[in-house]
Structures are given as C-alpha cells and as structure tokens.
Amino acid sequence: MGPPSGFYVSRLVAVLLAGVAAALLLALAVLAALLGRCAHAPPSDLPGRGDSPGERAPPPAAPPPRPTGEPSGPLPARPRHPAGPWDELRLPPWLVPLHYELELWPRLRHEAPDRAAVRFSGRVNITVRCAAPTARLLLHSAALECERAGVRGPLGSGAGGAPRARVPVDKVWAAPDMHYLVLELGESLRAGGLYELQLSFSGRASRDIREGLFVNVYEDQGESRTLLASQMEPTFARNVFPCFDEPALKATFNITLIHDPGFVALSNMPVLGQSDKEDVNGSKWTVTTFHTTPPMPTYLVAFAVCDYDHVNRTERGKEIRIWARKEAIARGEADFALNITGPIFSFLEDLFNINYPLPKTDIVALPIFDDRAMENWGLMVFDESLLLLQPDDQLSERKSIISYIISHEIGHQWFGNLVTMNWWNNIWLNEGFASYFEYGVINHLNPKLPKNEVFFFSILHNALTEDHALVSRAVSLKVENFTETNEINELFDVYTYKKGASVARMLSSFLNEDLFINALKSYLGTFSYSNAEQDDLWRHFQMAIDGQSQIILPATIKSIMDSWTHQSGFPVITLNVSTGVMKQEPFYLGKVKNQTLLTHNNTWIVPILWIKNGTTQPIVWLDKSSKVFPEMQMSDSDHDWVILNWNMTGYYRVNYDKLGWKKISDQLEKDPKAIPVIHRLQLIEDAFSLSENNYIEIETALDLTKYLAEEDEIVVWHVVLMNLITRDLFPVNNYDVYPLLKKYLLTRITSVWKTYSTIIRKNMAALQDEYLTLISLEKLFGAACWLGLEDCLQLSRELFRKWMSHPEYEIPYQIKYVILCYGIASGTDKEWDFLLNAYNDETEEEERIFLAYAMSCSKDPWILNRYLEYAIIESPFTFNETNIVDIVAESPVGRYIIKDFLVNNWQAVSERYGTQTLVFLMYKLGRTITTDLQLTELQRFFSTMLEEHQRLAAHANLQTMKTENLKNKKRRARIAAWLRKHT
C-alpha cells in the first residue's frame, strides 16, 4: 500500500492529509453489513481446478459430522451460536485454498454515469485441500448476500478421474463479528481430499474504498463519468467475494468480469478472451476473461472497469500501460509516470536478480483513492494526484513525490507480492522494505540527490518524532496480540513504514551494501510465490554473514535485529567524552528524574558508526546499558570533536556531556563546513528534541545556532526554523520572545535569504531538480516574513499584485501560501475580495482549501467577521472543503473575535460544522492560558455550549493545557534570557 505522507509539505497538503486520516478513521468505525439469506443448492458450475502450491499445517481434529438436513431459512439479525472457531480472528487450518474461479458482474452502465452505488453479483468456485476430517467449513464473507452454497468432491486427480459427488450442506449461517460464513455439512470431508466450494453471492459497491469494490464519480471531457475499482488490502476481499482472506493462504485465480461493452475491464493478468452476453432484459454485456494468476493472497486480487484511455511502452518485452481520464492522457499527464516506470522495474530486476514474473503491468490513476496507492500484482492503482503530472510542471516537488511512490509500489512486486508475510504482524516486511528501496531506486536514477538528507526529511524525522518508549508500538508484533480485524487496519502507520525503513537502512549500514543485497536475494529466491516470517529473513542474513569473514558482529543477526523490531521506542545514546563512557536509555517524552519507575527494562544492541575530527572511525557496538570506549575519550584542552551516528544511519538520538556539546558548538563556529550537512541537521534535530524532553538544557541546543550566519544550506535552516519557530514557543498572540528572536535570527538569515529571493525573482527554473530546496522554500519564506524581513514582505506584495494584474501569472507553488497570506495581511478588502473571487472561480478542491486558508490571514477584524458570516450561510459562497471557524480562530486577529462570534452564532455554527468544532477551538483558544483566571474564563465560555456530560472532560483538557503552557512559558523565559545574552 502507498506510504503515509512523510514529506515536509505545504500547510495545505498537511491539511488535506489530516482530512484523509479523519475520513479513514470514520470509515474503519463502520461495521460490515450482516450476511443475507443462504441456501445449499449449488450455483451453475464453474470449471474446477487441480492442485496448486502452498499448504498450511494440519488442523486439529475436526468436529463430528452433523446429520443431513434441510437448508436453513432466513438468518436472524444476530444469530446466537455456541462458542466455536467463528469467534477467533484466524481461520481454522482445516482447509487450504488452491485455486479460485471467480466471476464478477457489476451492474455499472456507461450511460448512467452519476451512480454513487452499484450492485454486483458473482460466482466463485474454490478448490481446496482438506487438511483434516471436518464437517464444518469456515471462510470469510462480509457485507455480501450469499445466495447459494454447495460443496463437491472429493475431486479426481486428473481429467479421467471419478465424477465429483455432491457433499450435502445442512446449514449455512453467518458469524458477522469475525466476518465468517459457516457451512455445516451432512458428512465429513476426507483428510487429503480435494473439494470444490461453490458459492453465488451479491453485494454493493459505493464510494467507500473500505467496501473492497468501490466507485469514483468524476468529470472527463465535460461529462460526468463513473468507474469501478477494487482495494482489497488488508481484509476487504471478503467484502467482494467469499474467500480465505489471510495472506498466507495463497492460491491461483481465474478471473472473469462481466461489464458494459463501453468500458474496458482490467485485472491482474492479461485478457485471455472476450464474448458477448445478454441479460434477462435483452441488454448486451461483455464477458472478459483473464489468464491464470501466479499464487497470490486475496488482498492482491484487483479489478477495474472504466472508460479510460492509456499510454504504453514496452520494457524488456513486457507491456506497461498507464490508464487515466481521457483528457489527462490527451494532455500528456501520464507520460512522466510511464517514462520512469520501466527503468524502475529494470533496476530492481537487476538488483535482486529476479525478473518481474507477470507479462504486463497496468497502472490506473483514480480520481479519488484515499489509500494513495496500492501494489496489486499486475494492476496497481494510484490517486491521480500522485501519478499524473502536467508536462510543463517541471518546477514541482510533485515530480519527486510521484517518483518515490511509484518506486515504493514497484518495490512491493518483490516485497509483498512475490514474497508475502505469513500474517499481518509482520507487515513491515512488505512496507518497511518497499519504503527503504524507494529511496535506493531514486538515488540510482538521480545520483546527484543527497540521499542521507532526503531520507532524513522523508522518513527518519517522522519516525523519530512519533516513536517513543511505552506509548508507541513495536515494528513486529506477536500473533496473539490480534483480537479483531480493525487492529490489522491500524498497522498501516508510521512504525510499519518509516520505522521499518529506518531499521532496514540501519541493517544495511552496519553490514555493507553487497552483503545486504545478497542476503535479500537469497531470501526472495527461497520464498518466491510463498510466505515468510521475520525469522526467515534473519536466517538468510545470518547465512550471508556466516559465509564471509570481514563483518564481525557482537551477536547473531536475530538477536541484534529483534532488539529493534520487538520493542517499542528507540534509545538515546549518551557519550561522556571526558571518560569515554557511553550509555543507552529509552527515549521518553518529557523525561523525569524518577523515569526508572517506568517499566522499559530492555536494551538495544546498537551499532555506533562515528567520526572524529571529520574522519570516519571503525564501528563499535553498545550491546549493554553502559560501556567504556577509550578511543572516544578527550581532554578539555585539545581541539578534538566527536559525532556519533555517522550519516544518521542508526535509529537513535545522540547526546553528549557538556564538554562534548561544547566542542561541537566551538567547531561549528570555527569551521562549520568541516561537519557534513547531514550532521549539522542531526545536531540541531537531536539537541532540540532532547532539550524539549528534559535530557539536556535548552541553552545547549541554542548554543549550536550561534554559527548560523555562516550556514548557507537551506535544508539546515529548515530544521533550525522548525525547532525555533513552533506553536509551543510562540502561541497565538503570546510573543514575549519574539522581539529577541527576531533580532537574533535576522542578522543570521540574511545571506541565505538573499540567495533564494534572488532566484525567485530571476530564474525559479534553476531549482527544478533541487528537491530538498523546493520542500524547504516555504519554511524559509514563511519565517522571513514572520520575522518582519522587509524584503520578504515586499516580495509578497510584488507577487500578489502581479497576480492581481495578470491572473494568468502563476505564483511559484512552493511559496504560494506565504505570498497569498502576507499579501492579504498587508492589504485591504480589495485584495481580500480578489482572493474570494478567485476562490469562487476555482474548481480544484485542493486549490480552494489553499485560498480559504490564505483569506484567514487578514488583520482587519471586520473582514474576518464577514468571512465567518459567509461561512455559515449557504450562498452566495460555499466553503465546503474546510472549517472556516476553525482556521479563523487560529489566526492572530481571529482569536480575539471568535468567542463573540460563537456566542452570537453558535446555533448556526453547530448546524454548519457540528458540535465537534468545539474540540478544535478548545485547543486553539487554550494555547495561551497560564492562570486560573484565564482557565475559569474559558471553562465558563465552553460550558455554555457543551452538554453536561461533556463539561468535565473539557475542563480536564483545559487544565492539562494550562499545565503544558506553564512548562512552555518557563522554556520561553530561558530562551529569552539566552537571547538577551547573545544578541
């Protein structure tokens, strides 16, 4: 599945992704519909299939056979059954699926394009091997109406085998809690025998991708269109057809789609043939059949039925097609993706020495796909915003994002599709390695990219920010930790993707690239078309290590890596340069003196790559809580300096004693370029994080910024500004430190500002290949204008007025929000009305959100009041994409007017945005409370709009915010004292 966002992106994109996350959480809260009526009569036969590779371990003894009887009648809403295997999350291992004959018939018509829901029917014949005698069959089915169910067998071993006898089905019923369909038979199936389950079913596809089969309604060439696509990962195949919906239960598939002749039908494999069909009303349909798939799990089964065009090319004899809206194909928006897809496949084929096994690859650009992208074998799907690129859009980080996401999904063709994890507890074997290799691929295709800095910004920073002891989770979980399906869905998070990728990168760094790749080749070759567990991976790494003598490890690879994947959090490594003593401890949020009371007793086996005076040193290992390294010891008088975690390849933060930090700070002031860029990033990032969480004093972190007048790398400035200009330090309208920080930073930021403001004015195209610069520009420009740098404010006015005079002019996207915001802030109602008109004329939802936020930057109370009034009326303006009340409350001036507006208009606001808007407003308005009087005032204010049962929770939340604000106030006071001393 596509990686969660980890790039430093604009405020707009962050808002969009937050909205997507909220939508996903809401969708996951909805239970699947109950199964409908079932009968035991078999459906019309579909061709049966023989044996196929892959079996599960034998099951326990089967339950006793049930007497033959009649099929059950309609099921009650919640049937009551005694405890049994249907109460467990995992299927009992009684049956092993070998092959599916699947026919699906969605009733989507080309001439009825506005349908938000589509009914479908289908038939599936599943060839299974019985592992032990059983008269009770379980398979997955959710939100489906099972219309007929039958069992035939045992099947003959060949074409001339005995006829298939019918096994009587006494009863069919649903166990909806765990999404099971239960077939109770009149006689037991024989162990070792092959049988065919025959099921007919129907269901509904809507716009919700969590239904497995979903629809998109969109515009193309001026007309409304509808398409149908699938998303089965992790457990949504059961919403589309009855199946054995677990990743280890791989099988082959013969797929048939019945569809409107005006649509193209796509699936995992190439088309085998087509024929015509008439329904009972005499309407014409097309029957498209596809070649047999390799063995694969149900979550990779894929379909698309659409009215799309495509572009194609051949790479090493295999066709690649990109499908998209016809107007997008005509404009060449799929060409960039098409041109990079083939070389990515070729690079990974050569790297792993394993050819991509399918004869074709289709990639479909969906107008709306909340999961970003999905790696289905032979039929990948993407949200079109992450695949399509306008040919003239050369100056955009979108090119890089598209490249990374395509690389990620192609990486899954080996990690996930060819070799699949046994169970979802090891999903990081799919997602972590796909995330790791997406950066290896792009660095191969773009060798000038600074790979360590790119990995930091896109992966490592997010992982370290979210991960900490006790609260976060391990990368690899114990199987018994799972009790319900929703827990599987929740695994697609920062730990699976980004911590997983970071751990893989660390493994590569303390071995070497050749050894790392050779071990993976062995692993992929051994488990091709099969399944693996984490220990299987470590076994192949150990084999590679044992086969050479250069790399010596302090323990087995399993012991080392389990210490990182089986426990939450990461260590803080502290080096005392006076004594050479190095120790490790878990990283906690807000460390306190009695932290030892918390139970986190394990240690990590930590690879320490390090540099001394700019020269790399031999690796050392910290395999216990504390250890002495004499080679790192230094005196107070010499000029040596040491930095641990070379290239930030280790998944930990680094701390030093006061002398160690002082030597680094002195070196930065003396010659910052002697310390590589990645380590200037690391030092700022680690020091501020450690100071915020009570590991070191804030003054230690601030000392590292004294050299900044000499810092010309925008990516280092990006990290500095992220840590110095935060809402915790500068809550709305509480700028006690602002004048001091303004004076301190303006004397240091001028040089880097002049460099990039000149480029903006003269030749923005010069940055077209500078990915890290493009994602850092908004932070630099936003900070410069926030600090009141006159040239930044002037540039904002210039570009805003140029756009007003020439609407065809496009403000560079990377700084557009800053330009619009400060253009509005320094303007009048004339500029604001111009932006409102632009909003009304805009059709792209993303751009409308962008403009809505910029309009909240006005400093005129009457304009913001008018904006709020527009937000709660239906016409002439409709702000559907975002909560205007929420964003106005976040602005410096809006905070003063929002309370009166809510008091006077609460009924209209609650009707427009819902009562949950108070949750967001409580957070924003509570940012500055530090006294009991302020607390009481806000509690009284919110109480007037809250129900009785909500008030206690709200009061407690505000009290917590007050405590946090007091801590931040003390931190700001210390920063202010330091700034006075150094300004």
Side-chain angles (χ1 to χ4, degrees), residues 792-837:
C792 183
L793 298 173
Q794 178 60 32
L795 181 57
S796 295
R797 289 190 289 266
E798 286 177 13
L799 296 184
F800 194 98
R801 289 168 184 166
K802 183 176 181 180
W803 179 50
M804 288 182 68
S805 301
H806 305 282
E808 71 280 2
Y809 168 72
E810 293 189 6
I811 299 171
Y813 182 82
Q814 292 72 23
I815 58 171
K816 186 172 184 178
Y817 177 75
V818 177
I819 299 303
L820 296 184
C821 183
Y822 283 94
I824 290 294
S826 61
T828 65
D829 58 327
K830 178 181 177 183
E831 286 77 14
W832 199 94
D833 289 343
F834 178 84
L835 205 59
L836 179 62
N837 290 330

Side-chain angles (χ1 to χ4, degrees), residues 609-848:
L609 293 164
W610 59 296
I611 57 174
K612 184 175 184 178
N613 301 333
T615 303
T616 57
Q617 305 295 314
I619 187 173
V620 298
W621 288 86
L622 182 62
D623 52 0
K624 55 184 69 174
S625 60
S626 179
K627 203 170 182 178
V628 178
F629 295 96
E631 63 271 35
M632 297 183 187
Q633 189 174 356
M634 56 192 67
S635 69
D636 199 359
S637 59
D638 63 33
H639 300 289
D640 291 343
W641 52 274
V642 167
I643 294 178
L644 305 185
N645 198 6
W646 171 241
N647 283 333
M648 289 194 78
T649 53
Y651 188 69
Y652 49 86
R653 294 201 185 276
V654 180
N655 190 13
Y656 305 90
D657 65 336
K658 289 184 178 180
L659 178 60
W661 281 117
K662 182 178 184 303
K663 285 178 173 293
I664 291 170
S665 178
D666 291 346
Q667 179 60 39
L668 284 171
E669 291 190 74
K670 182 175 65 175
D671 181 13
K673 295 300 176 68
I675 298 178
V677 173
I678 186 63
H679 289 295
R680 306 206 296 272
L681 287 173
Q682 174 201 13
L683 291 166
I684 297 292
E685 176 74 6
D686 280 355
F688 275 94
S689 176
L690 293 171
S691 70
E692 184 180 359
N693 291 287
N694 304 324
Y695 286 83
I696 63 175
E697 307 293 343
I698 182 59
E699 292 83 358
T700 301
L702 291 169
D703 284 341
L704 297 177
T705 69
K706 291 187 290 187
Y707 85 99
L708 284 175
E710 305 301 318
E711 182 57 77
D712 57 2
E713 292 285 348
I714 190 172
V715 291
V716 178
W717 272 102
H718 191 165
V719 175
V720 170
L721 297 171
M722 279 196 308
N723 283 284
L724 276 179
I725 303 176
T726 68
R727 285 178 178 160
D728 290 337
L729 293 179
F730 298 98
V732 177
N733 299 322
N734 195 343
Y735 291 174
D736 46 345
V737 185
Y738 176 75
L740 296 167
L741 187 66
K742 174 179 178 179
K743 187 174 182 180
Y744 179 76
L745 285 181
L746 284 181
T747 61
R748 290 164 171 79
I749 204 171
T750 303
S751 177
V752 69
W753 165 259
K754 284 182 178 178
T755 298
Y756 290 101
S757 62
T758 299
I759 292 174
I760 294 296
R761 285 186 166 106
K762 292 184 177 181
N763 183 24
M764 187 73 174
L767 300 177
Q768 67 179 25
D769 296 322
E770 301 291 333
Y771 168 65
L772 290 176
T773 298
L774 291 172
I775 66 173
S776 300
L777 275 176
E778 183 182 71
K779 193 67 179 179
L780 177 67
F781 271 64
C785 285
W786 181 78
L787 291 167
L789 184 64
E790 182 53 38
D791 190 49
C792 183
L793 298 173
Q794 178 60 32
L795 181 57
S796 295
R797 289 190 289 266
E798 286 177 13
L799 296 184
F800 194 98
R801 289 168 184 166
K802 183 176 181 180
W803 179 50
M804 288 182 68
S805 301
H806 305 282
E808 71 280 2
Y809 168 72
E810 293 189 6
I811 299 171
Y813 182 82
Q814 292 72 23
I815 58 171
K816 186 172 184 178
Y817 177 75
V818 177
I819 299 303
L820 296 184
C821 183
Y822 283 94
I824 290 294
S826 61
T828 65
D829 58 327
K830 178 181 177 183
E831 286 77 14
W832 199 94
D833 289 343
F834 178 84
L835 205 59
L836 179 62
N837 290 330
Y839 174 92
N840 290 328
D841 293 338
E842 182 58 55
T843 58
E844 292 291 333
E845 180 178 334
E846 181 177 331
E847 187 69 12
R848 283 167 64 87

Side-chain angles (χ1 to χ4, degrees), residues 340 343-344 347 403 407 440-448:
I340 66 172
I344 294 171
F347 171 73
S403 300
S407 298
V441 170
I442 300 306
N443 286 323
H444 169 76
L445 299 178
N446 302 277
K448 292 183 179 179

Side-chain angles (χ1 to χ4, degrees), residues 918-931:
L918 282 181
V919 176
F920 301 105
L921 292 173
M922 189 182 305
Y923 170 73
K924 290 176 172 59
L925 297 180
R927 281 180 184 155
T928 58
I929 57 173
T930 56
T931 69

Side-chain angles (χ1 to χ4, degrees), residues 57-356:
R66 295 175 58 87
T68 303
E70 294 300 317
S72 64
L75 299 176
R78 288 296 300 268
R80 297 181 180 276
H81 294 282
W86 42 83
D87 299 318
E88 302 296 327
L89 180 64
R90 300 293 299 274
L91 282 163
W94 305 335
L95 300 179
V96 180
L98 305 175
H99 179 76
Y100 292 77
E101 292 282 341
L102 174 62
E103 177 184 279
L104 204 67
W105 187 354
R107 301 315 198 273
L108 177 65
R109 275 304 193 182
H110 191 271
E111 63 272 13
D114 294 321
R115 298 169 66 181
V118 174
R119 296 292 302 178
F120 64 88
S121 61
R123 302 180 299 165
V124 64
N125 286 1
I126 311 173
T127 302
V128 300
R129 175 181 288 111
C130 179
T134 179
R136 182 179 288 149
L137 312 184
L138 271 72
L139 67 162
H140 287 112
S141 181
L144 293 173
E145 295 178 7
C146 177
E147 293 157 356
R148 289 179 179 272
V151 179
R152 289 182 181 274
L155 308 182
S157 59
R164 295 175 294 174
R166 181 174 298 173
V167 179
V169 178
D170 284 357
K171 190 176 181 182
V172 181
W173 53 275
D177 288 346
M178 293 299 175
H179 303 163
Y180 287 137
L181 184 67
V182 183
L183 280 67
E184 297 192 16
L185 308 181
E187 62 187 52
S188 289
L189 304 186
R190 298 204 304 257
L194 299 183
Y195 295 85
E196 187 175 75
L197 314 184
Q198 301 173 333
L199 300 144
S200 293
F201 56 90
S202 62
R204 185 186 74 104
S206 73
R207 300 191 189 194
D208 183 0
I209 68 170
R210 302 304 177 191
E211 291 187 359
L213 200 63
F214 63 94
V215 296
N216 273 186
V217 179
Y218 63 100
E219 295 289 325
D220 191 11
Q221 297 178 326
E223 297 180 2
S224 181
R225 308 282 176 88
T226 304
L227 63 78
L228 191 81
S230 64
Q231 166 62 351
M232 309 294 197
E233 190 182 36
T235 56
F236 303 127
R238 63 193 66 175
N239 293 49
V240 182
F241 60 100
C243 58
F244 296 85
D245 200 11
E246 293 187 3
L249 299 181
K250 288 187 171 183
T252 55
F253 290 79
N254 277 1
I255 293 171
T256 298
L257 294 178
I258 303 175
H259 57 94
D260 188 291
F263 288 115
V264 63
L266 303 171
S267 188
N268 304 84
M269 298 297 287
V271 171
L272 175 63
Q274 286 189 323
S275 61
D276 296 328
K277 177 184 179 71
E278 283 191 12
D279 62 21
V280 293
N281 299 318
S283 299
K284 302 289 186 181
W285 297 84
T286 295
V287 181
T288 300
T289 59
F290 300 89
H291 284 274
T292 306
T293 71
M296 65 181 191
T298 49
Y299 80 82
L300 291 177
V301 173
F303 323 107
V305 177
C306 58
D307 182 18
Y308 268 7
D309 276 349
H310 72 274
V311 290
N312 67 292
R313 64 176 284 177
T314 300
E315 182 79 11
R316 295 184 174 179
K318 297 180 179 181
E319 188 175 33
I320 298 169
R321 299 184 295 186
I322 311 288
W323 297 83
R325 292 174 293 111
K326 293 178 178 179
E327 60 187 22
I329 293 293
R331 290 195 298 258
E333 293 180 16
D335 294 350
F336 175 76
L338 180 67
N339 291 333
I340 66 172
T341 297
I344 294 171
F345 267 109
S346 296
F347 171 73
L348 290 175
E349 284 184 333
D350 294 340
L351 185 66
F352 301 131
N353 197 30
I354 299 175
N355 290 335
Y356 174 67

Side-chain angles (χ1 to χ4, degrees), residues 500-574:
S502 299
V503 168
R505 179 170 175 257
M506 180 171 63
L507 173 60
S508 174
S509 72
F510 70 72
L511 300 177
N512 60 53
E513 189 67 15
D514 289 341
L515 189 60
F516 180 75
I517 295 300
N518 285 337
L520 291 177
K521 286 180 182 178
S522 175
Y523 164 78
L524 292 171
T526 300
F527 294 98
S528 289
Y529 306 104
S530 185
N531 297 79
E533 296 179 346
Q534 178 174 279
D535 282 355
D536 296 319
L537 179 66
W538 302 152
R539 192 176 306 114
H540 282 264
F541 269 97
Q542 192 65 52
M543 289 164 52
I545 291 164
D546 293 343
Q548 53 84 56
S549 58
Q550 293 181 337
I551 306 295
I552 307 298
L553 301 179
T556 65
I557 200 72
K558 173 176 167 56
S559 297
I560 294 170
M561 297 308 297
D562 280 358
S563 75
W564 296 93
T565 62
H566 281 326
Q567 60 180 328
S568 62
F570 59 86
V572 176
I573 307 300
T574 300

